[in-house]
Amino acid sequence: MSGAPADLPEAAARRFAEGAFTSGLTVPDFAACLQMGLEPVGFVQGYCVMQWKWYGMGGMGLGMGGYGAQYANTGGYSENWACPHGMVSAEHRAWGQNFEQTWVESAWTEGFTSAYGRMVEEAASVGAHGIVGVVDTNQPLSDMGVLEFRVQGTAVRVTDGTPPADEPWTTYLAGQRLAKLVEAGYAPVSIAAGVASVRVWANCITENLTEGSNSMYSMAQPGSEIDQTVKAHSVVRRLARQRVRDQLGHDSLHGAAMATTERELGQGDAELQCILRGNRVRRFKDFDPMPAPVPTVRLL
Amino acid sequence: MTVPAPVGEGLPAPEPVDLKAEMIRATEVVGRSAPGGKGPAKATRMLSDLSIDEELVLHSIGWEPIELVSGVSIHSVPMYVWNWGQGEIEYASAAYARSFARATERIHAECTKAGGRGVVGVHVEWGVHRHHIDVALVGTAVRPVDGNGLSADPVFVSDLSGRDFALLHNAGWEPLGLAAGASFVYAPRRSMGTAVKQKGQNVELTNFTEAMYAARESAMERMQTSALGMEGTGVVEVKVTEGPMDFAHHAVGFTAYGTVVRLRTGEHRHVGARMILPLDDPVLGFDATSLRGS
């Protein structure tokens, strides 16, 4: 470890120097950690508050609709959905587009990694080998597109381990689950999280299908699949997976959780967000095949 | 007096594992390369949303997770189909069936592309909206370690957990796929005379009861037909929903889905569950409300 980080809050440095440990672990998790040679040294946290740019104002020259409008170029995934009708009227959605909101992803990633980095920095300052039982949350602070990122966990030292030479490893797991992970031959490396955000600007067909309207100009059969929105859903999941995969190197992601949300904006427009989290783990020994488990019935 | 043998006697004793030594080893391995580095080159990358318990139990039957896969489909429901009418709302029932089928096809394709032989623990998220019906499936593709395990039958998609899959496997059964059925039916209006006669009475509204029965029979039959189409013996873990639509109270819907299974071996194998009596009862605390004799 290359000395204490310069920007660790003075109060935190003083608290860590006092000698007693703090921990966010439950008593069973605490007991399990001690059993596997992990001593808690401090409850560590990181925060970051991020403000978003306005939607659709990502500095990429978005046209705001209408015939012949300019397509967005956000530097990420982008796909156009042309109107098959030609010029119909000024209100007709003569173009449609799915595009990745890279500025949303950047803000989220910056907020998350900053909060994460601050937590790791605290752990490193107390000479921890790792951080277990990580919990990360984010919530809006106001309705102005401000999001607070919180990452917290319990810094631990490995009993009889060599002094840490690198930044601490991190994992969402603690207690028995972590013990089983290590017993199964996986070493925790870090938590991993990735976000993808895709905006759907509906074209006329998507608008008609989503609103259930049966325009005389519609060229889609009533009851058809809404291809543009389906594509956005597929892409947002694929991008989130790719983001996390890019962080893994040759390691694996274990115990992942994928959460996709859709904000319907009317007339077929929508904003999709997919967040994928999990534990990056590395195999450090061959898998010992487990004997077939014994089925049991509880007499309760 | 003879002391009875403990219930657990005869079980193979688990190999003692020095967890502390393993932890030191794990930390050293991680510390050897910088975080964000590439890790051991020979390792295979897997993405899985299974818990460590599920992964261990999968390994115990010779299977392993490989990739997180998903499939989505959204079908449109035209305007006016939820308005008053009679019989089944066929557009809605068909939209549900098509959405489920296409989403399954897509997760199936992702699994095949990843080299999986099936998808377990599929989370099924679906929604019936006034003008569209959405189905999204997310699960973990799995395959036999070293190519052993189940037969080389077509890829299956199942919402059973890794633990349920292993239990099914040990009992000689195999999952074949997801079967779903849904039906949306109008509850017909009562005639003016009937409505007046029933006003203020305790009376069954048979129009709603009959609509519910009609929806249920159609949905269950569709699910069963789908299972038979996969040459399945039955459907397990069936989840059903029923009730009026939020946006159209005169229409009732019934949906059902589950995992189709069939016997893989000649006959069912009894798993021989061992009875256990856990000795971890919660501690009884003093409850002040009991003083009132309630």
Side-chain angles (χ1 to χ4, degrees):
Chain A
M1 197 173 58
S2 54
D7 56 346
L8 185 73
E10 183 274 331
R14 185 155 32 85
R15 178 165 57 85
F16 289 139
E18 281 174 353
F21 75 86
T22 50
S23 153
L25 297 174
T26 62
V27 170
D29 284 351
F30 175 54
C33 278
L34 290 179
Q35 197 182 350
M36 60 197 296
L38 296 177
E39 306 164 30
V41 286
F43 184 59
V44 288
Q45 302 160 62
Y47 293 98
C48 180
V49 178
M50 289 292 295
Q51 178 177 288
W52 253 237
K53 289 178 187 178
W54 287 93
Y55 288 109
M57 298 292 278
M60 67 298 176
L62 250 188
M64 297 309 287
Y67 184 74
Q70 190 181 357
Y71 289 129
N73 177 14
T74 62
Y77 157 77
S78 173
E79 188 172 5
N80 300 332
W81 298 79
C83 160
H85 308 113
M87 179 64 184
V88 177
S89 73
E91 290 77 33
H92 191 79
R93 285 179 169 243
W95 61 280
Q97 189 177 25
N98 288 351
F99 57 87
E100 190 178 349
Q101 301 192 122
T102 45
W103 67 98
V104 173
E105 296 168 352
S106 303
W108 195 97
T109 306
E110 190 181 333
F112 181 84
T113 50
S114 299
Y116 174 76
R118 286 165 193 162
M119 176 188 73
V120 169
E121 192 178 300
E122 285 194 6
S125 75
V126 285
H129 287 92
I131 305 174
V132 302
V134 173
V135 177
D136 83 83
T137 54
N138 54 69
Q139 62 174 21
L141 271 190
S142 69
D143 56 358
M144 295 292 289
V146 177
L147 206 61
E148 179 199 35
F149 291 85
R150 294 185 291 199
V151 189
Q152 57 197 40
T154 298
V156 292
R157 243 185 244 130
V158 178
T159 316
D160 303 329
T162 50
D166 246 318
E167 74 175 37
W169 46 261
T170 57
T171 174
Y172 288 113
L173 300 176
Q176 286 300 334
R177 293 208 157 179
L178 179 59
K180 273 185 274 188
L181 186 88
V182 172
E183 200 177 333
Y186 289 120
V189 179
S190 68
I191 62 169
V195 69
S197 175
V198 171
R199 176 74 157 85
V200 177
W201 284 96
N203 74 349
C204 49
I205 298 282
T206 303
E207 181 193 8
N208 286 344
L209 290 173
T210 309
E211 299 283 293
S213 56
N214 205 359
S215 161
M216 61 184 285
Y217 293 108
S218 181
M219 295 171 89
Q221 285 289 331
S224 300
E225 186 162 31
I226 310 175
D227 292 334
Q228 188 182 353
T229 316
V230 169
K231 186 66 185 291
H233 270 276
S234 305
V235 168
V236 79
R237 287 168 171 83
R238 176 172 59 76
L239 289 174
R241 274 199 307 248
Q242 193 54 49
R243 296 272 176 291
V244 171
R245 200 172 269 287
D246 290 345
Q247 301 169 30
L248 291 180
H250 291 282
D251 297 332
S252 291
L253 188 75
H254 169 84
M258 179 185 267
T260 308
T261 52
E262 176 177 358
R263 203 161 66 98
E264 289 195 19
L265 303 170
Q267 296 181 300
D269 287 356
E271 189 193 26
L272 309 178
Q273 181 175 273
C274 180
I275 299 177
L276 178 62
R277 292 179 170 83
N279 294 298
R280 179 181 169 191
V281 295
R282 183 172 304 160
R283 181 158 290 294
F284 70 94
K285 66 172 187 178
D286 287 336
F287 202 93
D288 296 326
M290 195 178 110
V294 178
T296 58
V297 179
R298 286 166 72 97
L299 294 178
L300 272 183
Chain B
M1 197 175 89
T2 315
V3 179
V7 174
E9 201 173 61
L11 285 178
E15 287 288 319
V17 174
D18 185 351
L19 265 177
K20 287 188 181 180
E22 298 285 56
M23 197 67 235
I24 292 171
R25 201 170 144 203
T27 299
E28 279 171 1
V29 166
V30 173
R32 234 178 271 146
S33 60
K38 295 296 180 188
K42 65 173 186 180
T44 54
R45 296 194 305 176
M46 78 67 183
L47 260 68
S48 149
D49 66 350
L50 301 177
S51 70
I52 188 65
D53 291 347
E54 285 185 294
E55 194 179 331
L56 285 171
V57 85
L58 273 181
H59 269 277
S60 77
I61 59 163
W63 284 66
E64 63 182 355
I66 47 171
E67 178 66 288
L68 198 59
V69 289
S70 64
V72 180
S73 180
I74 303 170
H75 278 76
S76 171
V77 178
M79 200 172 269
Y80 308 124
V81 305
W82 298 103
N83 290 3
W84 282 100
Q86 285 200 325
E88 181 164 19
I89 307 167
E90 286 171 5
Y91 261 120
S93 304
Y96 180 95
R98 285 201 295 264
S99 291
F100 217 100
R102 292 303 305 272
T104 308
E105 275 172 30
R106 287 179 179 132
I107 196 171
H108 191 286
E110 282 201 5
C111 173
T112 308
K113 193 175 166 197
R117 290 265 296 280
V119 189
V120 298
V122 171
H123 303 277
V124 181
E125 290 177 18
W126 60 274
V128 177
H129 307 281
R130 187 185 291 274
H131 294 307
H132 52 95
I133 293 181
D134 315 346
V135 175
L137 310 174
V138 178
T140 295
V142 295
R143 69 177 173 203
V145 181
D146 303 330
N148 57 12
L150 296 185
S151 63
D153 280 342
V155 168
F156 66 85
V157 177
S158 160
D159 64 341
L160 299 179
S161 66
R163 192 179 68 164
D164 291 343
F165 173 68
L167 185 59
L168 207 60
H169 178 85
N170 286 338
W173 292 72
E174 64 182 343
L176 297 171
L178 279 177
S183 178
F184 303 90
V185 175
Y186 298 111
R189 280 182 197 273
R190 291 172 294 169
S191 68
M192 183 63 81
T194 309
V196 169
K197 209 164 31 175
Q198 292 178 338
K199 191 174 168 58
Q201 304 293 315
N202 289 342
V203 64
E204 180 180 6
L205 297 178
T206 51
N207 54 338
F208 272 97
T209 310
E210 284 163 9
M212 186 61 71
Y213 268 95
R216 185 190 117 182
E217 282 315 310
S218 300
M220 294 298 283
E221 188 176 7
R222 281 170 190 153
M223 182 176 66
Q224 202 163 312
T225 305
S226 168
L228 289 171
M230 295 179 207
E231 299 180 0
T233 320
V235 187
V236 296
E237 293 251 351
V238 173
K239 284 101 179 163
V240 299
T241 64
E242 51 87 13
M245 300 291 104
D246 290 340
F247 49 83
H249 291 179
H250 56 277
V252 293
F254 191 101
T255 67
Y257 67 86
T259 292
V260 182
V261 295
R262 75 166 168 215
L263 261 181
R264 175 174 49 90
T265 53
E267 59 180 15
H268 172 75
R269 287 203 299 256
H270 290 279
V271 290
R274 190 178 292 266
M275 284 185 281
I276 56 164
L277 179 60
L279 298 176
D280 56 354
D281 285 351
V283 177
L284 291 178
F286 177 75
D287 182 5
T289 57
S290 64
L291 294 177
R292 294 199 298 268
S294 57

